[in-house]
Amino acid sequence: MKKIILILALVFTTSIVFTSCREKKTTNEKIEEAIDNIGDELEDASDDVKDAVEDVKDEIEEIKEEAKKDIVKS
């Protein structure tokens, strides 16, 4: 019985040491991290929009070329 109590006390002490040593972020650090994440997400969204615009431009160019070919054939 004493061994079980000593083991439980050791486990409890170890868990307290590791949880109390963990670094806690301040409110400012949390805000900065959130702003950085939002900035990264906005940058990714911007890249996606640019890619979509380029795809549309490519499609328009292809349609223009096909229309020119059709006009020449006529």
Side-chain angles (χ1 to χ4, degrees):
M1 183 72 169
K2 287 184 181 181
K3 289 182 182 180
I4 293 175
I5 292 174
L6 289 175
I7 291 172
L8 289 176
L10 180 64
V11 169
F12 177 74
T13 304
T14 305
S15 66
I16 293 297
V17 167
F18 284 116
T19 55
S20 66
C21 292
R22 187 176 0 155
E23 286 187 33
K24 297 184 180 178
K25 293 182 180 179
T26 64
T27 304
N28 288 338
E29 291 173 335
K30 289 179 184 177
I31 291 171
E32 286 178 16
E33 185 177 327
I35 290 172
D36 288 340
N37 289 340
I38 290 171
D40 292 342
E41 290 175 13
L42 286 174
E43 188 175 324
D44 291 343
S46 171
D47 290 341
D48 291 343
V49 169
K50 286 179 184 177
D51 290 342
V53 168
E54 288 175 7
D55 290 343
V56 169
K57 285 181 181 179
D58 292 342
E59 290 292 326
I60 290 172
E61 289 299 321
E62 287 178 17
I63 292 171
K64 284 181 182 179
E65 289 175 13
E66 287 179 14
K68 286 179 183 179
K69 288 178 184 177
D70 288 343
I71 292 174
V72 171
K73 286 182 182 177
S74 299

